[in-house]
Amino acid sequence: MLDSIVTSKTRIKLLLKFFSHDNSGYLRSLAKEFDESTNSVRVELNRLTEAGLLQTEDDGKTKVYRANRSHPFFNEIRNMVSKFLGLDQLLEQVVSRLGNVEKAYIVGDYAQGVDSGTIELILLGKDIDMAYLDFLVEKTYEKINRRVQVRVLEEMGEDIGGVMVYG
């Protein structure tokens, strides 16, 4: 869906990185993460910055980029990225029908804004319907073509370190 609207693969990666949640990055780290040339990443960073979608701050000699939360289209772009990733539908189903889900976290690559094809979730709750969860994982793969790995915890015994998306 997103790739039919935005034709630059590098721009899509940057939108996923910065608008899936509150990420920041600098040119060389982004080029390495995306396995792209620094020039192609620089061109797209400049375009997104000139459009006002990204803002920069200096960290020594390094320019750090992040999404401009005050841009008029910030929420719309964030919603579009969320739909692209399929997380909105997934979380609605998980929360409404699984049982007593207190919190849900995205961890792993997606928590870092990288679309690796696998969504890792941690659910915090009790009496979760595991059979239905397995069914949802299968159906999610069929709908959005991404694998989902879910770990269920009854108590928060460790620092999860991901992005809380429910709770």
Side-chain angles (χ1 to χ4, degrees), residues 31-51:
K32 184 177 179 183
E33 180 180 325
F34 300 156
D35 195 25
E36 302 271 347
S37 72
T38 54
N39 190 48
S40 66
V41 174
R42 179 184 295 112
V43 166
E44 295 303 335
L45 285 170
N46 288 341
R47 285 182 180 156
L48 292 171
T49 302
E50 288 169 11

Side-chain angles (χ1 to χ4, degrees), residues 34-157:
F34 300 156
D35 195 25
E36 302 271 347
S37 72
T38 54
N39 190 48
S40 66
V41 174
R42 179 184 295 112
V43 166
E44 295 303 335
L45 285 170
N46 288 341
R47 285 182 180 156
L48 292 171
T49 302
E50 288 169 11
L53 295 172
L54 297 181
Q55 57 190 41
T56 63
E57 63 185 51
D58 292 326
D59 184 14
K61 293 182 180 181
T62 305
K63 189 181 281 193
V64 179
Y65 296 85
R66 67 176 24 97
N68 181 0
R69 297 176 79 72
S70 63
H71 191 280
F73 294 130
F74 174 81
N75 286 329
E76 284 81 0
I77 294 171
R78 181 168 239 176
N79 289 338
M80 192 167 44
V81 166
S82 176
K83 286 179 180 166
F84 173 76
L85 296 174
L87 300 179
D88 57 338
Q89 291 176 333
L90 175 65
L91 290 173
E92 268 182 43
Q93 290 176 339
V94 166
V95 171
S96 67
R97 299 188 58 191
L98 271 180
N100 188 14
V101 177
E102 295 172 26
K103 294 182 181 182
Y105 294 88
I106 297 175
V107 296
D109 290 343
Y110 271 83
Q112 297 169 8
V114 177
D115 184 2
S116 66
T118 301
I119 301 170
E120 297 176 60
L121 286 175
I122 294 180
L123 301 178
L124 184 63
K126 296 181 180 173
D127 303 320
I128 305 290
D129 184 346
M130 297 305 286
Y132 187 66
L133 177 60
D134 291 340
F135 169 77
L136 283 179
V137 166
E138 244 179 78
K139 285 297 176 193
T140 301
Y141 181 75
E142 291 172 13
K143 280 189 163 194
I144 64 172
N145 201 26
R146 283 173 179 70
R147 299 222 178 274
V148 179
Q149 295 176 343
V150 183
R151 194 169 59 164
V152 177
L153 303 174
E154 287 192 11
E155 296 178 3
M156 180 103 104

